[in-house]
Amino acid sequence: PLFVAWMRALFSAIVAVVYTFVKYPEELRFTAKEFPSLFIHGIVCVAVMYVGVNFALLRLPIGVAILLFYTTPLWVIVGTRLLRLEVLTRIRVIALVLGVLGVWFAVGGISGATGLDPLGILGALMAGLTNGIYMIAGRYGLGKGRPIRMFTHMFLWGAVALGLVCFFRGDFESFRSAQMSDWMAMLYLAFIPSVFGNILIMKSLQCVPASVVSIVAMSEIAFGMLWAWLFFAEIPSASAFAGGVFLFLAIVIVTMEGERVRRKELSELL
């Protein structure tokens, strides 16, 4: 899992650095004072998140792993509230409650959680937390006004950190055993969900509050369950399906909030 996470980050970093060098070379420069912040963003938003996701997918059913990963909105809503960055509206509170219920049902409550791998649960939750930090930073922190800078340095230093860990662990031996299908899978992970997916998220964060982006992004849950069923014949349990329904309702509700705001603004203009 660690080697795959490193390859995913490395390929993504190469794409990001080459693009930034061609289009925005000034964004690659940084001072000694800026380096700790850039490096920490890479460790938190790339290294920890990718390793956590990989461990979760290895040790948990795919649907449950994705559901636990998408505790992200809970972390975002709590984080933006504590930092006084966003208002915790009534609709977002309802969406938050539905999200918690969704995760609870996904793991089958107390009895279901005791039957799941603890390290897998921890990995998924850590990935959800760090993904939440990424969204907050993308909206209000390093990504504010300069998303390409955060995007590039995040992958660059995340890849460096993971590469150092792999080196000292001796994971470079995985190069020898990797087959062509392995490389194709890692390239897919780098280009589609990593580069392309993060570009879409960064674009969204320039227009929409981080809490809303994080909740709407939970649509990945339904797709995750669908692909797991189609390709791996992994049929979600009734409890996991119920969790997905609660999370879907959270998405619908928070989307309705945006529609209400647009209608209010339109009525004021008229």
PDB file of all heavy atoms in Angstrom, residues 15-28 148-149 151-152:
ATOM      1  N   VAL A  15       3.384  15.324 -13.332  1.00  0.00           N
ATOM      2  CA  VAL A  15       2.432  16.039 -14.189  1.00  0.00           C
ATOM      3  C   VAL A  15       2.250  17.479 -13.706  1.00  0.00           C
ATOM      4  O   VAL A  15       2.294  18.432 -14.491  1.00  0.00           O
ATOM      5  CB  VAL A  15       1.072  15.315 -14.211  1.00  0.00           C
ATOM      6  CG1 VAL A  15       0.030  16.145 -14.963  1.00  0.00           C
ATOM      7  CG2 VAL A  15       1.203  13.946 -14.853  1.00  0.00           C
ATOM      8  N   ALA A  16       2.046  17.638 -12.379  1.00  0.00           N
ATOM      9  CA  ALA A  16       1.795  18.961 -11.809  1.00  0.00           C
ATOM     10  C   ALA A  16       2.994  19.887 -11.982  1.00  0.00           C
ATOM     11  O   ALA A  16       2.845  21.060 -12.352  1.00  0.00           O
ATOM     12  CB  ALA A  16       1.442  18.828 -10.325  1.00  0.00           C
ATOM     13  N   VAL A  17       4.210  19.373 -11.732  1.00  0.00           N
ATOM     14  CA  VAL A  17       5.418  20.199 -11.825  1.00  0.00           C
ATOM     15  C   VAL A  17       5.677  20.617 -13.272  1.00  0.00           C
ATOM     16  O   VAL A  17       6.008  21.783 -13.548  1.00  0.00           O
ATOM     17  CB  VAL A  17       6.634  19.448 -11.248  1.00  0.00           C
ATOM     18  CG1 VAL A  17       7.930  20.182 -11.581  1.00  0.00           C
ATOM     19  CG2 VAL A  17       6.500  19.310  -9.730  1.00  0.00           C
ATOM     20  N   VAL A  18       5.532  19.688 -14.215  1.00  0.00           N
ATOM     21  CA  VAL A  18       5.766  20.020 -15.623  1.00  0.00           C
ATOM     22  C   VAL A  18       4.772  21.085 -16.095  1.00  0.00           C
ATOM     23  O   VAL A  18       5.153  22.065 -16.745  1.00  0.00           O
ATOM     24  CB  VAL A  18       5.657  18.751 -16.501  1.00  0.00           C
ATOM     25  CG1 VAL A  18       5.651  19.133 -17.988  1.00  0.00           C
ATOM     26  CG2 VAL A  18       6.808  17.804 -16.207  1.00  0.00           C
ATOM     27  N   TYR A  19       3.501  20.906 -15.755  1.00  0.00           N
ATOM     28  CA  TYR A  19       2.484  21.879 -16.162  1.00  0.00           C
ATOM     29  C   TYR A  19       2.762  23.256 -15.552  1.00  0.00           C
ATOM     30  O   TYR A  19       2.698  24.284 -16.248  1.00  0.00           O
ATOM     31  CB  TYR A  19       1.099  21.394 -15.734  1.00  0.00           C
ATOM     32  CG  TYR A  19       0.000  22.396 -16.009  1.00  0.00           C
ATOM     33  CD1 TYR A  19      -0.533  22.537 -17.291  1.00  0.00           C
ATOM     34  CD2 TYR A  19      -0.488  23.220 -14.994  1.00  0.00           C
ATOM     35  CE1 TYR A  19      -1.530  23.467 -17.547  1.00  0.00           C
ATOM     36  CE2 TYR A  19      -1.484  24.149 -15.244  1.00  0.00           C
ATOM     37  CZ  TYR A  19      -1.998  24.270 -16.521  1.00  0.00           C
ATOM     38  OH  TYR A  19      -2.975  25.201 -16.768  1.00  0.00           O
ATOM     39  N   THR A  20       3.084  23.267 -14.256  1.00  0.00           N
ATOM     40  CA  THR A  20       3.342  24.537 -13.572  1.00  0.00           C
ATOM     41  C   THR A  20       4.596  25.210 -14.112  1.00  0.00           C
ATOM     42  O   THR A  20       4.646  26.441 -14.263  1.00  0.00           O
ATOM     43  CB  THR A  20       3.485  24.305 -12.059  1.00  0.00           C
ATOM     44  OG1 THR A  20       2.324  23.637 -11.582  1.00  0.00           O
ATOM     45  CG2 THR A  20       3.639  25.619 -11.316  1.00  0.00           C
ATOM     46  N   PHE A  21       5.629  24.416 -14.428  1.00  0.00           N
ATOM     47  CA  PHE A  21       6.872  24.969 -14.976  1.00  0.00           C
ATOM     48  C   PHE A  21       6.618  25.663 -16.314  1.00  0.00           C
ATOM     49  O   PHE A  21       7.198  26.706 -16.607  1.00  0.00           O
ATOM     50  CB  PHE A  21       7.903  23.847 -15.152  1.00  0.00           C
ATOM     51  CG  PHE A  21       9.193  24.308 -15.754  1.00  0.00           C
ATOM     52  CD1 PHE A  21      10.126  25.003 -14.992  1.00  0.00           C
ATOM     53  CD2 PHE A  21       9.471  24.068 -17.091  1.00  0.00           C
ATOM     54  CE1 PHE A  21      11.319  25.445 -15.558  1.00  0.00           C
ATOM     55  CE2 PHE A  21      10.655  24.502 -17.665  1.00  0.00           C
ATOM     56  CZ  PHE A  21      11.581  25.192 -16.892  1.00  0.00           C
ATOM     57  N   VAL A  22       5.735  25.087 -17.117  1.00  0.00           N
ATOM     58  CA  VAL A  22       5.438  25.647 -18.436  1.00  0.00           C
ATOM     59  C   VAL A  22       4.529  26.870 -18.331  1.00  0.00           C
ATOM     60  O   VAL A  22       4.753  27.884 -19.003  1.00  0.00           O
ATOM     61  CB  VAL A  22       4.791  24.572 -19.342  1.00  0.00           C
ATOM     62  CG1 VAL A  22       4.314  25.190 -20.660  1.00  0.00           C
ATOM     63  CG2 VAL A  22       5.776  23.440 -19.608  1.00  0.00           C
ATOM     64  N   LYS A  23       3.488  26.782 -17.488  1.00  0.00           N
ATOM     65  CA  LYS A  23       2.468  27.825 -17.440  1.00  0.00           C
ATOM     66  C   LYS A  23       2.716  28.888 -16.358  1.00  0.00           C
ATOM     67  O   LYS A  23       2.499  30.073 -16.591  1.00  0.00           O
ATOM     68  CB  LYS A  23       1.102  27.184 -17.208  1.00  0.00           C
ATOM     69  CG  LYS A  23       0.666  26.242 -18.322  1.00  0.00           C
ATOM     70  CD  LYS A  23       0.215  26.984 -19.570  1.00  0.00           C
ATOM     71  CE  LYS A  23      -1.095  27.698 -19.348  1.00  0.00           C
ATOM     72  NZ  LYS A  23      -1.604  28.334 -20.579  1.00  0.00           N
ATOM     73  N   TYR A  24       3.134  28.450 -15.166  1.00  0.00           N
ATOM     74  CA  TYR A  24       3.293  29.373 -14.037  1.00  0.00           C
ATOM     75  C   TYR A  24       4.599  29.085 -13.302  1.00  0.00           C
ATOM     76  O   TYR A  24       4.596  28.654 -12.135  1.00  0.00           O
ATOM     77  CB  TYR A  24       2.122  29.229 -13.054  1.00  0.00           C
ATOM     78  CG  TYR A  24       0.762  29.303 -13.697  1.00  0.00           C
ATOM     79  CD1 TYR A  24       0.049  28.146 -14.007  1.00  0.00           C
ATOM     80  CD2 TYR A  24       0.169  30.535 -13.982  1.00  0.00           C
ATOM     81  CE1 TYR A  24      -1.203  28.213 -14.594  1.00  0.00           C
ATOM     82  CE2 TYR A  24      -1.081  30.608 -14.572  1.00  0.00           C
ATOM     83  CZ  TYR A  24      -1.764  29.438 -14.877  1.00  0.00           C
ATOM     84  OH  TYR A  24      -3.002  29.506 -15.453  1.00  0.00           O
ATOM     85  N   PRO A  25       5.747  29.284 -13.931  1.00  0.00           N
ATOM     86  CA  PRO A  25       7.037  28.924 -13.311  1.00  0.00           C
ATOM     87  C   PRO A  25       7.301  29.618 -11.977  1.00  0.00           C
ATOM     88  O   PRO A  25       7.987  29.072 -11.115  1.00  0.00           O
ATOM     89  CB  PRO A  25       8.063  29.342 -14.371  1.00  0.00           C
ATOM     90  CG  PRO A  25       7.349  30.325 -15.239  1.00  0.00           C
ATOM     91  CD  PRO A  25       5.923  29.902 -15.252  1.00  0.00           C
ATOM     92  N   GLU A  26       6.732  30.815 -11.800  1.00  0.00           N
ATOM     93  CA  GLU A  26       6.963  31.541 -10.542  1.00  0.00           C
ATOM     94  C   GLU A  26       6.365  30.816  -9.339  1.00  0.00           C
ATOM     95  O   GLU A  26       6.819  31.013  -8.203  1.00  0.00           O
ATOM     96  CB  GLU A  26       6.385  32.953 -10.634  1.00  0.00           C
ATOM     97  CG  GLU A  26       4.859  33.046 -10.727  1.00  0.00           C
ATOM     98  CD  GLU A  26       4.295  32.794 -12.103  1.00  0.00           C
ATOM     99  OE1 GLU A  26       5.095  32.526 -13.029  1.00  0.00           O
ATOM    100  OE2 GLU A  26       3.063  32.862 -12.258  1.00  0.00           O
ATOM    101  N   GLU A  27       5.353  29.960  -9.575  1.00  0.00           N
ATOM    102  CA  GLU A  27       4.713  29.246  -8.468  1.00  0.00           C
ATOM    103  C   GLU A  27       5.568  28.110  -7.927  1.00  0.00           C
ATOM    104  O   GLU A  27       5.272  27.552  -6.876  1.00  0.00           O
ATOM    105  CB  GLU A  27       3.346  28.693  -8.907  1.00  0.00           C
ATOM    106  CG  GLU A  27       2.334  29.740  -9.310  1.00  0.00           C
ATOM    107  CD  GLU A  27       1.910  30.638  -8.155  1.00  0.00           C
ATOM    108  OE1 GLU A  27       2.332  30.384  -7.003  1.00  0.00           O
ATOM    109  OE2 GLU A  27       1.153  31.593  -8.388  1.00  0.00           O
ATOM    110  N   LEU A  28       6.636  27.760  -8.641  1.00  0.00           N
ATOM    111  CA  LEU A  28       7.524  26.703  -8.160  1.00  0.00           C
ATOM    112  C   LEU A  28       8.547  27.244  -7.162  1.00  0.00           C
ATOM    113  O   LEU A  28       9.152  26.472  -6.418  1.00  0.00           O
ATOM    114  CB  LEU A  28       8.262  26.045  -9.334  1.00  0.00           C
ATOM    115  CG  LEU A  28       7.399  25.174 -10.263  1.00  0.00           C
ATOM    116  CD1 LEU A  28       8.224  24.715 -11.461  1.00  0.00           C
ATOM    117  CD2 LEU A  28       6.835  23.987  -9.509  1.00  0.00           C
ATOM    118  N   ILE A 148      -3.034  26.653  -8.015  1.00  0.00           N
ATOM    119  CA  ILE A 148      -2.014  25.863  -8.706  1.00  0.00           C
ATOM    120  C   ILE A 148      -0.781  25.683  -7.821  1.00  0.00           C
ATOM    121  O   ILE A 148      -0.096  24.655  -7.878  1.00  0.00           O
ATOM    122  CB  ILE A 148      -1.627  26.515 -10.055  1.00  0.00           C
ATOM    123  CG1 ILE A 148      -0.742  25.580 -10.877  1.00  0.00           C
ATOM    124  CG2 ILE A 148      -0.921  27.853  -9.830  1.00  0.00           C
ATOM    125  CD1 ILE A 148      -1.408  24.302 -11.293  1.00  0.00           C
ATOM    126  N   ARG A 149      -0.495  26.678  -6.986  1.00  0.00           N
ATOM    127  CA  ARG A 149       0.658  26.595  -6.091  1.00  0.00           C
ATOM    128  C   ARG A 149       0.439  25.484  -5.061  1.00  0.00           C
ATOM    129  O   ARG A 149       1.323  24.650  -4.828  1.00  0.00           O
ATOM    130  CB  ARG A 149       0.873  27.929  -5.384  1.00  0.00           C
ATOM    131  CG  ARG A 149       2.075  27.945  -4.433  1.00  0.00           C
ATOM    132  CD  ARG A 149       2.286  29.355  -3.891  1.00  0.00           C
ATOM    133  NE  ARG A 149       3.386  29.430  -2.943  1.00  0.00           N
ATOM    134  CZ  ARG A 149       4.664  29.490  -3.282  1.00  0.00           C
ATOM    135  NH1 ARG A 149       5.001  29.461  -4.560  1.00  0.00           N
ATOM    136  NH2 ARG A 149       5.604  29.562  -2.362  1.00  0.00           N
ATOM    137  N   PHE A 151      -1.697  22.979  -5.284  1.00  0.00           N
ATOM    138  CA  PHE A 151      -1.835  21.716  -6.005  1.00  0.00           C
ATOM    139  C   PHE A 151      -0.464  21.105  -6.307  1.00  0.00           C
ATOM    140  O   PHE A 151      -0.209  19.930  -6.039  1.00  0.00           O
ATOM    141  CB  PHE A 151      -2.606  21.974  -7.298  1.00  0.00           C
ATOM    142  CG  PHE A 151      -2.906  20.736  -8.101  1.00  0.00           C
ATOM    143  CD1 PHE A 151      -4.004  19.956  -7.797  1.00  0.00           C
ATOM    144  CD2 PHE A 151      -2.098  20.374  -9.165  1.00  0.00           C
ATOM    145  CE1 PHE A 151      -4.291  18.819  -8.536  1.00  0.00           C
ATOM    146  CE2 PHE A 151      -2.376  19.237  -9.916  1.00  0.00           C
ATOM    147  CZ  PHE A 151      -3.476  18.457  -9.594  1.00  0.00           C
ATOM    148  N   THR A 152       0.441  21.916  -6.851  1.00  0.00           N
ATOM    149  CA  THR A 152       1.753  21.416  -7.268  1.00  0.00           C
ATOM    150  C   THR A 152       2.619  21.040  -6.081  1.00  0.00           C
ATOM    151  O   THR A 152       3.191  19.941  -6.036  1.00  0.00           O
ATOM    152  CB  THR A 152       2.466  22.469  -8.129  1.00  0.00           C
ATOM    153  OG1 THR A 152       1.653  22.784  -9.257  1.00  0.00           O
ATOM    154  CG2 THR A 152       3.818  21.963  -8.592  1.00  0.00           C
TER     155      THR A 152
END
